[in-house]
Amino acid sequence: MDTPDWNDLRYFLAVTAAGSLSAAARSLGVEHTTVSRRIEALENMLGLRLFDRFARGWSLTDAGRALLPQAQRVEEEIHALLRQASGAGSDFGTVRISAPPAIAAHWITPRLPALRAQLTGIQIELGAEPARVDLSRREADIAIRFRRPQAPDLAVRIVATVQYYLCAAPQYLASRKSEEWEFIGYDESLATTPQQEWLNAFAAGRPFAFSSNDLNSIAAAVRFSAGIAVLPDYLAAGLIIPGINCPVQRDLWMVIHDDVRKSPRVRRTADLLAELFSTAAR
């Protein structure tokens, strides 16, 4: 029997996790016909039918379920090999940084010229992503996140502490009394963030005019006088409402997988990025 193509196993695992061809295609960033073709190639090579195809989705056959644990172990070993290779790599190449969209746009991007000036031979790839990336799968080399991960194979350090303020456009404040204020906040997907919980308590039943899962949209709405919001220090210039103390502070964490941290280029990039964060916070 021929050896399976690792990429075909990857498509098999993607369909298993997603439950449908179209969802797997979206997660892989390919056309659904590509997924179907790769699954068919794997089935032909193994001489087994791995999925039952239904209109509502694809379901593993008994043979597919039997092979799933082994395929997952192969995936883990492949990612471990790639992490080790990255850790043993040269001083030059690409370093992928993942950060929340507003941090990527307003904190990291303005400092890229300073970062690049000290990283000759290293290309920076910046992913603006609200969801956590999987560092064990090398979806990024360095992640910047507001929550500290608990996995034991991750190296973490605080690179900044973000202060939050209650904010409004000056013309908005001049046009109405405080009891007439309307608020702008996160939608339900981010309702448990500390800044949103504090804003809910401060609003004390006064209406919310607008909600979003995107901090950049919230900040733009404040600047265009749509209402009052809690904004981080890097978006609050010229908008801070005097006399109101918002106690919310959040630590910003840099996260790197232990294997990848051994890479000279990742280590150099992480140290310089942390230094830029620290300098900006002073």
Side-chain angles (χ1 to χ4, degrees):
M1 179 182 291
D2 294 335
T3 302
D5 185 327
W6 154 241
N7 280 315
D8 292 343
L9 288 176
R10 186 165 63 94
Y11 284 90
F12 166 68
L13 291 170
V15 175
T16 301
S20 73
L21 202 66
S22 57
R26 286 193 297 271
S27 71
L28 294 167
V30 299
E31 297 292 332
H32 72 278
T33 53
T34 301
V35 180
S36 178
R37 185 174 65 252
R38 299 305 288 262
I39 295 295
E40 184 176 349
L42 180 61
E43 290 179 326
N44 290 338
M45 192 281 302
L46 295 172
L48 296 170
R49 187 173 180 82
L50 301 175
F51 292 97
D52 288 322
R53 281 79 160 164
F54 300 108
R56 66 181 183 277
W58 285 26
S59 177
L60 283 171
T61 62
D62 289 342
R65 279 190 291 273
L67 291 180
L68 179 60
Q70 287 85 357
Q72 291 170 329
R73 283 195 290 273
V74 170
E75 181 185 43
E76 291 170 2
E77 290 300 322
I78 289 290
H79 286 303
L81 182 149
L82 292 173
R83 290 196 306 270
Q84 291 284 357
S86 179
S90 71
D91 289 352
F92 309 109
T94 299
V95 174
R96 188 174 194 278
I97 302 169
S98 172
I103 292 289
H106 300 283
W107 204 330
I108 298 178
T109 300
R111 294 168 177 82
L112 280 179
L115 190 64
R116 287 284 297 116
Q118 301 178 70
L119 293 174
T120 303
I122 295 177
Q123 293 78 47
I124 299 298
E125 183 180 321
L126 179 59
E129 297 148 331
R132 288 181 298 174
V133 295
D134 190 340
L135 296 179
S136 68
R137 294 171 178 259
R138 296 188 70 249
E139 292 176 353
D141 298 305
I142 301 169
I144 305 297
R145 288 292 178 260
F146 278 107
R147 288 188 175 87
R148 176 177 182 167
Q150 300 303 317
D153 54 356
L154 298 177
V156 300
R157 57 172 155 169
I158 296 174
V159 291
T161 298
V162 178
Q163 175 68 55
Y164 288 81
Y165 298 92
L166 191 65
C167 294
Q171 57 269 32
Y172 183 90
L173 294 178
S175 67
R176 65 202 69 203
K177 300 175 182 178
S178 60
E179 58 267 24
E180 297 172 332
W181 287 355
E182 293 183 314
F183 294 87
I184 303 168
Y186 284 127
D187 65 13
E188 291 183 0
S189 67
L190 295 167
T192 60
T193 59
Q195 61 270 34
Q196 183 62 38
E197 291 181 338
W198 182 86
L199 183 60
N200 288 339
F202 181 84
R206 284 172 289 183
F208 276 73
F210 173 67
S211 62
S212 175
N213 65 347
D214 177 57
L215 182 56
N216 285 318
S217 297
I218 291 172
V222 172
R223 292 191 179 275
F224 283 99
S225 297
I228 309 283
V230 173
L231 297 178
D233 45 23
Y234 57 89
L235 289 174
L239 299 171
I240 298 172
I241 300 175
I244 297 176
N245 176 48
C246 176
V248 178
Q249 292 184 330
R250 300 188 69 184
D251 290 331
L252 199 60
W253 297 85
M254 177 181 289
V255 189
I256 308 174
H257 195 281
D258 280 337
D259 292 339
V260 176
R261 187 173 53 151
K262 300 170 187 174
S263 164
R265 68 176 179 273
V266 173
R267 190 166 57 248
R268 284 175 59 204
T269 303
D271 288 344
L272 286 170
L273 186 61
E275 183 180 332
L276 288 175
F277 269 107
S278 176
T279 301
R282 290 172 192 162

